[in-house]
Amino acid sequence: MTIAFLSFITLTTSAVATQLPSSTPTVSVSSFKSFRIHRQGSGVALSWEPAAASVHHFQIERSYDGEFFETVTLVNSNGTSIHRFTDENVFPGYIHYRITAVNLDGTTETSPVQMIRIVQRK
């Protein structure tokens, strides 16, 4: 007599994180003193402060799935002061942003990803 057992295992993972409208989380990394995002009118406002003046420019990158990022714009560095950009072309959903600092010597450093949820277009 032979007995066969079949076992099926299904793993399901999910992660949900949102930025509340009143919160502005700050992330500190080696190239960035700060990086914040928040809803502003019909867009998303980004502000960041580099840790060093050796940055030539910044690439602002956006993703709607958190995996594939597109470059939205380039912002020239103005030293170590606070930089700002408002992304006016957003659609409802979860939007992920990151900033890549392109240094004068050609090296790059990318910030951690910040996420915001847009419920509807204003």
Side-chain angles (χ1 to χ4, degrees), residues 28-61:
S28 295
V29 294
S30 60
S31 284
F32 299 89
K33 288 183 182 177
S34 66
F35 174 31
R36 298 181 175 114
I37 64 174
H38 66 275
R39 180 78 186 252
Q40 183 172 340
S42 62
V44 176
L46 293 80
S47 64
W48 66 98
E49 185 176 3
S54 62
V55 177
H56 180 265
H57 68 274
F58 300 94
Q59 290 178 198
I60 310 303
E61 300 170 345

Side-chain angles (χ1 to χ4, degrees), residues 19-25:
Q19 177 183 1
L20 299 176
S22 62
S23 68
T24 53

Side-chain angles (χ1 to χ4, degrees), residues 10-16:
T10 302
L11 297 176
T12 303
T13 61
S14 65
V16 176

